[in-house]
């Protein structure tokens, strides 16, 4: 478990982990879980993750799968949560664990910081798609990987987006990456070039061009102390316009047919 101060607490059994969570006040004091499929007593750990997430829904979970371990129902149960990430390793490298959990915590904090502002403007069928894209916004995400994560055929994913006025799933992915860039620019003092690299943009110029094209401003303007959240506001306006256009389209006709 990773506490807010990044103190790693190791537990050999599910019972020990449950006791540690209780001592922390449920899951409120726990920032993340690293779980093998079974504990030292061969008890499945997936129920522990579900229990902790019931208290704090966005709790990051990293599944640790050892190459030498046998695959079993407990492993499948853990991977079907789904976890925030899967780490395959021979031995437990605590340094790597801390870095991985730190990355996942930052991702979770970013999603929590923007979701409350975005949710009301996003049609219900697109909300799981948007949340997933937000959670993966710090790395490239293809339409196929998005479809696979949603358990949808690629064509079904495209149809769902078009039904709600979004021409392509990649449009949502691009907005999510810009939202992550805006959050990073406002929350840290790192140079624009460093933010572009961390978020896997092709280049700092690519990030600058994407911000200019979508919201008509610059990265430096986004991080000004009194600046409005231009990307967040721009996405909400864009989503509302797409939703209105889709609702106005004749029945049986998708937005893409009239765009």
């Amino acid at each position: 478990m990773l506490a807010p101060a990044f103190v790693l607490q190791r537990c050999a059994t599910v019972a020990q982990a449950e006791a540690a969570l209780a001592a922390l006040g449920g899951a409120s004091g726990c920032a993340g879980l690293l779980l093998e499929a079974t504990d030292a007593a061969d008890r499945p750990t997936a129920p522990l993750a579900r229990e902790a997430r019931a208290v704090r829904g966005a709790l990051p979970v990293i599944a640790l799968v050892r190459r030498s371990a046998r695959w079993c129902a407990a492993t499948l149960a853990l991977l079907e949560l789904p976890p925030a990430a899967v780490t395959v390793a021979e031995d437990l490298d605590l340094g790597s664990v801390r870095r991985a959990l730190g990355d996942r915590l930052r991702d979770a904090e970013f999603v929590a910081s923007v979701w409350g502002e975005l949710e009301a403007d996003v049609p219900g069928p697109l909300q799981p798609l948007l949340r997933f894209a937000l959670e993966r916004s710090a790395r490239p995400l293809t339409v196929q990987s998005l479809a696979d994560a949603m358990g949808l055929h690629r064509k079904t994913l495209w149809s769902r987006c078009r039904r709600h006025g979004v021409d392509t799933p990649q449009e949502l992915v691009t907005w999510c990456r810009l939202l992550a860039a805006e959050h990073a620019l406002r929350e840290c003092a790192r140079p624009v070039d460093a933010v572009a690299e961390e978020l896997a943009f092709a280049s700092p110029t690519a990030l600058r061009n994407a911000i200019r094209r979508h919201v008509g401003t610059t990265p430096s303007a986004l991080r000004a102390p009194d600046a409005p959240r231009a990307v967040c506001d721009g996405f909400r306006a864009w989503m509302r316009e797409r939703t209105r256009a889709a609702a106005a389209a004749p029945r049986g006709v998708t937005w893409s047919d009239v765009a």
Side-chain angles (χ1 to χ4, degrees):
M1 292 182 292
L2 187 66
F6 288 85
V7 175
L8 195 65
Q9 184 172 342
R10 303 182 70 175
C11 302
T13 66
V14 168
Q16 290 176 3
E18 289 173 337
L21 286 172
L24 290 169
S28 60
C30 177
L33 295 173
L34 172 75
L35 298 175
E36 295 193 63
T38 58
D39 66 5
D42 207 32
R43 179 180 173 184
T45 60
L48 173 67
R50 284 192 288 268
E51 179 183 333
R53 279 181 168 174
V55 177
R56 179 180 166 187
L59 190 71
V61 174
I62 294 182
L64 174 67
V65 179
R66 297 183 187 271
R67 291 189 178 91
S68 57
R70 60 184 177 84
W71 281 79
C72 60
T75 303
L76 295 176
L78 180 59
L79 296 179
E80 288 172 355
L81 285 173
V86 178
T87 298
V88 180
E90 288 294 348
D91 298 306
L92 185 59
D93 178 352
L94 295 185
S96 296
V97 169
R98 291 169 68 90
R99 289 190 293 274
L101 282 176
D103 290 343
R104 292 299 169 181
L105 278 174
R106 284 190 291 274
D107 292 346
E109 288 168 356
F110 156 62
V111 174
S113 72
V114 300
W115 182 248
E117 296 185 46
L118 305 181
E119 183 178 10
D121 294 305
V122 181
L126 295 185
Q127 288 186 5
L129 172 64
L130 185 70
R131 281 198 70 106
F132 182 84
L134 284 170
E135 291 166 357
R136 303 300 191 279
S137 57
R139 57 197 67 85
L141 183 63
T142 66
V143 174
Q144 186 60 57
S145 63
L146 197 55
D148 292 342
M150 295 294 101
L152 300 173
H153 190 280
R154 183 186 177 97
K155 290 184 178 179
T156 304
L157 177 63
W158 278 68
S159 296
R160 180 173 299 181
C161 287
R162 288 174 174 174
R163 193 175 304 121
H164 296 283
V166 177
D167 287 336
T168 71
Q170 194 61 45
E171 286 184 308
L172 288 178
V173 171
T174 298
W175 274 108
C176 288
R177 288 172 57 70
L178 291 176
L179 286 162
E182 179 177 54
H183 179 77
L185 289 166
R186 293 174 69 94
E187 296 298 320
C188 72
R190 291 189 295 278
V192 174
D193 289 14
V195 171
E197 182 178 357
E198 289 170 8
L199 297 180
F201 280 85
S203 67
T205 299
L207 173 58
R208 292 185 176 92
N209 289 342
I211 291 174
R212 185 178 298 108
R213 183 167 57 253
H214 284 78
V215 294
T217 189
T218 65
S220 298
L222 289 180
R223 74 184 342 161
D226 299 326
R229 298 179 66 175
V231 177
C232 189
D233 293 343
F235 171 78
R236 293 172 61 200
W238 175 82
M239 191 74 257
R240 287 194 296 266
E241 189 275 331
R242 291 296 188 274
T243 302
R244 285 195 298 268
R251 299 191 66 178
V253 178
T254 65
W255 160 249
S256 60
D257 295 322
V258 298

